[in-house]
Amino acid sequence: MIATALAGCASTRADRAGDGATQLQLVLVTTADWNAPQGQLRRYLFDGHRWLAVGDPAQVTIGRNGSAWGRGLRAAPDDGGPVKREGDGRAPAGMFGIGTAFGYAERASTALPYAAMTSSDYCIDVSDSPLYNQIVDARKADPEAVKGTTEPMRRDLHAGGDQRYRQGFVIEHNPGRLAGAGSCIFAHLWKAPGETTAGCTAMDDAAMAELLAWLRPQARPVFVLLPRAQYARVWREWGLPAPESAR
């Protein structure tokens, strides 16, 4: 069970929210509006004084219905925007911790903690399960707790050779595992160029490999996804790069 990957951005990650000086690595996705299913991903490194852009922007896709406020390191502003719900086809917007990397191979070229997925690993997307929003080994879990889940982590074995989870990492949305608030949010490979997701952020192999190689746990990386208008409203309060650098 990868409980720590999905269950906790509590005290050890609280210092990452709201102070740019402590957010040393930033993965930023911006979209045109709440309903846009695609966006641009940029990387930034904070050098103690300012955010520095790293590498080139990458094209990504997100939820098929766009995005909605999620539950992460920052409370969602009361701006009337949509709120993330289980099964709504929207990616969570906000600021989130970056958790465990995962994939089909035994190991990966990343400094993030890494979990090799097996045929019995599932992410639990059943809201009333006590294991909701956790990756578990179904062989070791209570059968009733995993009953009805639809998210195998070895999609190549359970979904006709699907390679989307061959490389990816956990985006720590809904770490308190509030029922119905959304589960199993990852950054992963896209099935085909431009194809949207059920709520994750997807990209091509090259962008994912570059991202995994760059991320370092000691740099306290965070993942931010926001429509451009919402980004313009919160960037200063959240200690993020100025909007003109994120276009």
Side-chain angles (χ1 to χ4, degrees):
M1 180 185 301
I2 312 175
T4 56
L6 289 162
C9 43
S11 59
T12 59
R13 301 200 174 183
D15 64 338
R16 297 194 298 196
D19 180 0
T22 62
Q23 296 167 10
L24 300 182
Q25 280 186 327
L26 167 66
V27 179
L28 172 64
V29 173
T30 53
T31 65
D33 53 44
W34 285 120
N35 297 319
Q38 65 281 314
Q40 278 202 324
L41 180 149
R42 295 172 176 84
R43 293 177 289 146
Y44 293 88
L45 182 68
F46 195 81
D47 68 354
H49 303 282
R50 58 190 174 140
W51 286 108
L52 302 174
V54 177
D56 296 322
Q59 298 300 313
V60 298
T61 58
I62 62 168
R64 62 183 177 273
N65 293 323
S67 56
W69 285 118
R71 302 175 64 86
L73 295 169
R74 278 288 191 167
D78 185 14
D79 66 351
V83 176
K84 172 67 184 169
R85 295 285 181 258
E86 185 70 44
D88 62 2
R90 292 182 180 267
M95 179 186 290
F96 309 96
I98 290 177
T100 301
F102 59 82
Y104 299 167
E106 285 299 313
R107 55 186 58 85
S109 297
T110 184
L112 292 175
Y114 177 77
M117 296 290 98
T118 71
S119 62
S120 57
D121 287 320
Y122 286 79
C123 189
I124 307 303
D125 57 0
V126 179
S127 291
D128 60 359
S129 170
L131 300 177
Y132 182 59
N133 201 26
Q134 295 184 61
I135 297 174
V136 302
D137 185 338
R139 296 172 303 181
K140 302 175 182 178
D142 178 354
E144 287 301 310
V146 300
K147 186 178 180 179
T149 190
T150 62
E151 200 62 50
M153 297 305 296
R154 285 299 301 265
R155 296 188 62 82
D156 58 330
L157 303 178
H158 295 280
D162 191 331
Q163 295 295 305
R164 278 177 284 186
Y165 290 176
R166 180 167 51 79
Q167 286 189 313
F169 58 83
V170 172
I171 297 170
E172 293 179 333
H173 161 68
N174 193 18
R177 301 192 288 116
L178 179 68
S183 63
C184 308
I185 303 299
F186 310 131
H188 61 71
L189 303 176
W190 57 29
K191 186 174 182 179
E195 185 167 322
T196 58
T197 75
C200 296
T201 296
M203 64 199 75
D204 66 24
D205 290 48
M208 177 59 72
E210 192 169 28
L211 194 52
L212 287 173
W214 178 71
L215 288 166
R216 296 179 295 114
Q218 61 268 36
R220 300 187 297 276
V222 292
F223 182 93
V224 172
L225 187 153
L226 289 168
R228 285 196 289 267
Q230 282 63 40
Y231 188 86
R233 292 174 191 153
V234 305
W235 72 273
R236 194 183 301 275
E237 179 186 355
W238 289 14
L240 298 171
E244 55 267 25
S245 73
R247 290 178 184 160

